[in-house]
Amino acid sequence: EAQVTQNPRYLITVTGKKLTVTCSQNMNHEYMSWYRQDPGLGLRQIYYSMNVEVTDKGDVPEGYKVSRKEKRNFPLILESPSPNQTSLYFCASSYRGRETQYFGPGTRLLVL
Amino acid sequence: SQQGEEDPQALSIQEGENATMNCSYKTSINNLQWYRQNSGRGLVHLILIRSNEREKHSGRLRVTLDTSKKSSSLLITASRAADTASYFCAPSNDYKLSFGAGTTVTVRA
């Protein structure tokens, strides 16, 4: 089944404790992206990757890192999480950036 | 940014009625996409309309695009309880989509 998977789905952590949210797609998509969703603000793009080893900042990249070493995986790294990064995070992929995006189920993060 | 802005923010209709929501954006686009999100879940793609198209249908969905006014509309006909969700437009250019805050649609039985 074609899908985008994210892990973990729920995470509670404390300020400053490094964490990684994994994202994997099995559709051989070139483009992958991370978004965060906050009430009243819609989805805002954090980082995106147009292909392996090619990443670029989205609209809200501060406090986040990403890497794209393999086509299927695009992990999101929070080196020192802060409470303002409490949010619902979505990974998405597509053949090309401007085409239909396929979303993962989301990761709900709470930073205390 | 070509971020979409949906209007209205919320919409409540009776089952069987039609629901219409609008999207405005600021810059030129390659295409515009509509997505649905059921409470807290991942977004699901509904329809993509390209900049050289004016209208597109998919089942009970009808999307229009007016590039001169930089606006789009999504019409859901004969609504059902299962249509209760948030709907987002996403203008797209080059390599990214930009989502608005969405329209929350509630369909009453």
Side-chain angles (χ1 to χ4, degrees):
Chain A
E1 178 190 354
Q3 60 182 351
V4 178
T5 57
Q6 294 178 227
N7 283 293
R9 295 290 313 282
Y10 304 91
L11 181 58
I12 300 174
T13 189
V14 296
T15 298
K17 186 175 181 182
K18 181 180 178 179
L19 66 92
T20 299
V21 183
T22 64
C23 172
S24 183
Q25 51 92 5
N26 62 1
M27 295 169 278
N28 202 35
H29 285 165
E30 291 187 351
Y31 182 92
M32 297 185 75
S33 181
W34 277 102
Y35 298 88
R36 61 177 288 174
Q37 185 176 28
D38 303 288
L41 296 177
L43 277 82
R44 294 178 292 170
Q45 190 180 51
I46 303 171
Y47 269 95
Y48 64 93
S49 169
M50 296 183 70
N51 214 325
V52 175
E53 301 293 1
V54 180
T55 63
D56 209 344
K57 296 176 181 178
D59 298 318
V60 288
E62 294 77 21
Y64 304 94
K65 282 177 58 176
V66 293
S67 67
R68 186 93 181 272
K69 293 186 172 55
E70 305 165 285
K71 199 171 189 177
R72 62 183 295 126
N73 296 324
F74 190 44
L76 179 69
I77 303 156
L78 285 71
E79 295 256 347
S80 183
S82 63
N84 65 12
Q85 292 178 298
T86 291
S87 188
L88 178 58
Y89 291 86
F90 289 102
C91 180
S93 71
S94 65
Y95 285 111
R96 288 180 295 179
R98 60 179 181 234
E99 301 299 326
T100 300
Q101 305 262 311
Y102 295 82
F103 280 80
T107 294
R108 198 170 287 278
L109 173 65
L110 172 62
V111 183
L112 300 173
Chain B
S1 164
Q2 73 269 31
Q3 183 177 16
E5 292 184 16
E6 296 90 348
D7 175 69
Q9 288 186 327
L11 185 58
S12 180
I13 56 173
Q14 201 74 28
E15 202 165 22
E17 292 180 338
N18 295 342
T20 299
M21 60 210 85
N22 303 297
C23 170
S24 61
Y25 57 92
K26 292 189 169 65
T27 64
S28 62
I29 58 172
N30 177 274
N31 65 64
L32 187 141
Q33 302 176 33
W34 285 91
Y35 289 80
R36 183 187 72 225
Q37 183 183 34
N38 292 94
S39 182
R41 298 193 175 184
L43 278 72
V44 174
H45 179 258
L46 294 176
I47 198 163
L48 181 155
I49 185 165
R50 302 198 183 278
S51 59
N52 61 354
E53 297 175 308
R54 290 296 167 259
E55 188 171 311
K56 203 161 182 179
H57 297 256
S58 177
R60 295 183 295 113
L61 305 179
R62 173 178 168 255
V63 168
T64 64
L65 178 64
D66 187 334
T67 53
S68 67
K69 294 181 179 177
K70 292 186 169 56
S71 67
S72 175
S73 68
L74 170 66
L75 168 68
I76 306 172
T77 60
S79 63
R80 306 167 180 167
D83 295 327
T84 293
S86 292
Y87 293 83
F88 297 86
C89 73
S92 174
N93 198 2
D94 295 330
Y95 40 78
K96 63 184 292 184
L97 277 66
S98 293
F99 292 84
T103 293
T104 299
V105 175
T106 303
V107 181
R108 306 186 308 273

